[in-house]
Amino acid sequence: MTRVLLVDDDLELSAMLKEYLAQEGFEATTVADGEAGVAEALSGNYAIAVLDVMMPRLNGVDALRRIRQESRMPVLMLTARGDDVDRIVGLELGADDYVPKPCSPRELVARLRAILRRTATPEPTTDADEFTVGPLRLWPARREAQWAGEALTLTSTEFTLLEVLVAAAGHVVSKNTLSEKALGRPLARFDRSIDVHVSSLRHKLAPRDDGRSWIQTVRGQGYQFVRE
């Protein structure tokens, strides 16, 4: 069974989600505060962690920051509905996706499975063995990337997003296509997840010689990884 770590101080919700996850073939462990959540997450015993933003002792955003200092394990954030600030900060720090609360157990499971499909079974989005564009080298089957000969540290979502963009280098890829391939779901109205992940990628890739980013925004259409 796939082991899931639930970090949330809402004990009633955690118990309900744990029961539902068990019915769906997951083994869930619940923790009620961020400090204990970080310790559990870094134990190496879980395939994925679910972090609530609002928690005692250490909030979800700070817990995620600590986890990302040592681990690339997939993390799904639970955020208050309509709270864009926590959502964006979580994605910028390396969360793979988020679910607004209150959420249905069914939606949570769907998001978990979408993330785990990209990590537990790292099948490449394309058939290419390797991509080389400018200073970037990408190995889809190995889920590894280098920039100017140095290893790139990417979350699962960032890697898949970069892979899709590089496979179509020189051509525009719509945000909806990126959302479906990188997040496993259609792009929702007002959803800025793809924009935040692209922003994170831009910070990890040095700019071109002319100062521009390798990932260009094509207004009203999507994003394009430019060729040299």
Side-chain angles (χ1 to χ4, degrees):
M1 297 177 71
T2 301
R3 300 196 67 188
V4 178
L5 175 64
L6 293 174
V7 188
D8 195 328
D9 64 325
D10 187 333
L11 301 183
E12 184 177 347
L13 175 63
S14 293
M16 183 266 288
L17 291 176
K18 180 177 181 177
E19 181 179 351
Y20 188 87
L21 285 167
Q23 295 172 4
E24 295 294 319
F26 295 90
E27 179 184 350
T29 297
T30 60
V31 176
D33 69 80
E35 289 280 4
V38 171
E40 282 294 316
L42 296 178
S43 70
N45 295 327
Y46 303 93
I48 190 168
V50 179
L51 294 179
D52 183 33
V53 169
M54 299 300 295
M55 290 187 295
R57 298 183 65 192
L58 188 72
N59 65 45
V61 171
D62 288 335
L64 174 63
R65 184 180 285 110
R66 289 197 192 177
I67 291 170
R68 280 290 171 260
Q69 288 174 353
E70 300 183 37
S71 172
R72 293 170 59 188
M73 76 177 297
V75 174
L76 180 70
M77 301 293 290
L78 294 179
T79 66
R81 189 174 298 276
D83 194 341
D84 290 336
V85 174
D86 284 337
R87 191 170 303 161
I88 291 171
V89 170
L91 293 173
E92 288 176 339
L93 289 175
D96 290 87
D97 203 356
Y98 68 88
V99 174
K101 294 175 71 175
C103 67
S104 72
R106 183 177 180 181
E107 180 183 10
L108 178 65
V109 167
R111 296 288 184 89
L112 289 174
R113 284 182 170 148
I115 295 171
L116 289 170
R117 276 196 298 269
R118 302 193 301 268
T119 54
T121 308
E123 296 180 357
T125 303
T126 67
D127 295 328
D129 295 325
E130 178 184 337
F131 288 109
T132 301
V133 181
L136 177 68
R137 296 183 71 191
L138 201 71
W139 294 272
R142 289 154 42 190
R143 306 286 286 180
E144 294 179 4
Q146 289 183 354
W147 184 263
E150 298 291 331
L152 272 177
T153 301
L154 304 170
T155 66
S156 174
T157 300
E158 289 170 350
F159 186 94
T160 303
L161 185 61
L162 186 59
E163 181 187 350
V164 174
L165 287 167
V166 171
H171 301 278
V172 180
V173 183
S174 71
K175 289 185 182 181
N176 192 62
T177 296
L178 292 172
S179 183
E180 289 181 339
K181 297 208 172 194
L183 300 177
R185 57 183 169 83
L187 186 69
R189 191 178 183 188
F190 304 124
D191 188 347
R192 294 186 56 199
S193 298
I194 292 299
D195 300 321
V196 177
H197 286 303
V198 167
S199 176
S200 178
L201 282 174
R202 284 171 168 163
H203 281 94
K204 293 182 178 183
L205 307 180
R208 292 162 54 88
D209 291 340
D210 60 7
R212 296 186 302 157
S213 170
W214 286 86
I215 303 175
Q216 294 290 303
T217 302
V218 181
R219 189 174 297 277
Q221 297 184 52
Y223 292 102
Q224 172 183 286
F225 197 99
V226 296
R227 293 186 177 277
E228 286 188 291

